[in-house]
Amino acid sequence: MAEPSRRKRWPLIAAAVALVVTVATALTLDRDGDTPAQDTTHGQATAAPLTVSTRAYAWDDPQCEAKYLVDRPPAEVAPPVMGQDVPGWVKAHRAVAADEQRVALTVQGTGDEAVVIESMHVGVAGSGPPPAWNAYLGSSGCGGGVETRSFDTNLDAPHPVLAPKAGQRGFPYKVSRTDPEVLYLTAHADTHDVHWYVDLQWNSAGRQGTIRINDHGKPFHTSGSRGRPVYEFLVGGTHWYRGAVN
């Protein structure tokens, strides 16, 4: 008589195990996800009093050339594009910004209180040797001037840091709903293929926190291209042609 009772218990045990696995998986996924803002004053996650919009390929000067690594022959690479079309071109070709990447961050307050940007720190999610892909140079633009809020970082360094460009003022900066700031970050890579992000530290009205900044949920991706074959597409040109090896 005990056997039927034991058979009835197995579905209940299996359901309980499935529930535990589901909860554990959900917790793991939540920890691995990017947290856009966190108020650390009381150790609780709350909305930060500022927003950050990101342009991962902020090349503005159409006469200046940007470079990308692409794992395709020239016949399978579309002509370079400019402005808002660049992210689509990069995604379609699975391209990687080569040698340097220029990122623009627009930081703006959301409430009545001013927000102080205390600092920004570069974090490396992964680093390795550059892929053995072709390098493509095109007239898709790369800002020719130096804006008032410009920073450089060397991704080949063991611990990359953001440094103001010559003549620029460093942190802190103050932003509000009516007075945003646009910060330009230029990341350089020569001998490494780097996945990276930026942590922005802020404080406002006795609160403080950190915002993780990346490429719409994924790390920024920048790689060196030394020794790779280079193909160029001149302004007004019709095809890629082989240039000098880096």
Side-chain angles (χ1 to χ4, degrees):
M1 296 298 292
E3 187 65 25
S5 177
R6 187 179 300 112
R7 283 198 301 268
K8 290 180 181 179
R9 287 199 299 270
W10 274 113
L12 296 176
I13 295 172
V17 171
L19 178 61
V20 171
V21 171
T22 301
V23 172
T25 302
L27 290 174
T28 300
L29 291 174
D30 183 64
R31 285 196 299 268
D32 291 342
D34 290 315
T35 303
Q38 182 176 1
D39 181 355
T40 60
T41 304
H42 302 292
Q44 298 176 346
T46 60
L50 74 167
T51 61
V52 182
S53 60
T54 304
R55 283 194 296 145
Y57 308 97
W59 310 120
D60 295 327
D61 185 347
Q63 299 303 315
C64 191
E65 297 174 331
K67 184 189 292 183
Y68 300 91
L69 288 174
V70 181
D71 189 20
R72 296 185 186 184
E76 298 179 11
V77 178
V81 295
M82 294 172 55
Q84 63 183 8
D85 295 326
V86 172
W89 187 96
V90 169
K91 182 177 180 180
H93 293 83
R94 297 185 178 180
V96 177
D99 299 342
E100 69 177 30
Q101 182 170 0
R102 187 167 176 266
V103 176
L105 308 176
T106 301
V107 188
Q108 185 172 16
T110 59
D112 296 329
E113 299 285 347
V115 184
V116 176
I117 305 171
E118 292 284 2
S119 62
M120 292 198 301
H121 304 280
V122 176
V124 174
S127 180
W133 299 352
N134 293 328
Y136 290 90
L137 270 170
S139 56
S140 55
C142 65
V146 177
E147 290 75 10
T148 23
R149 306 288 187 258
S150 298
F151 301 83
D152 273 327
T153 187
N154 177 15
L155 298 176
D156 291 320
H159 303 287
V161 297
L162 283 172
K165 289 190 175 182
Q168 301 288 319
R169 176 175 71 81
F171 295 102
Y173 293 116
K174 185 180 292 186
V175 298
S176 67
R177 185 163 46 194
T178 58
D179 188 20
E181 286 279 8
V182 181
L183 309 176
Y184 293 89
L185 318 179
T186 303
H188 303 270
D190 184 33
T191 58
H192 292 82
D193 175 41
V194 185
H195 296 262
W196 58 283
Y197 57 88
V198 174
D199 282 339
L200 180 153
Q201 295 182 323
W202 59 267
N203 73 66
S204 176
R207 296 175 52 205
Q208 58 185 9
T210 301
I211 292 181
R212 172 69 49 87
I213 301 168
N214 52 36
D215 187 2
H216 302 91
K218 300 184 298 183
F220 300 111
H221 190 183
T222 313
S223 177
S225 66
R226 182 186 298 179
R228 306 303 185 237
V230 179
Y231 293 87
E232 300 183 41
F233 203 106
L234 297 181
V235 176
T238 59
H239 64 280
W240 297 98
Y241 73 92
R242 179 69 179 265
V245 174
N246 287 341

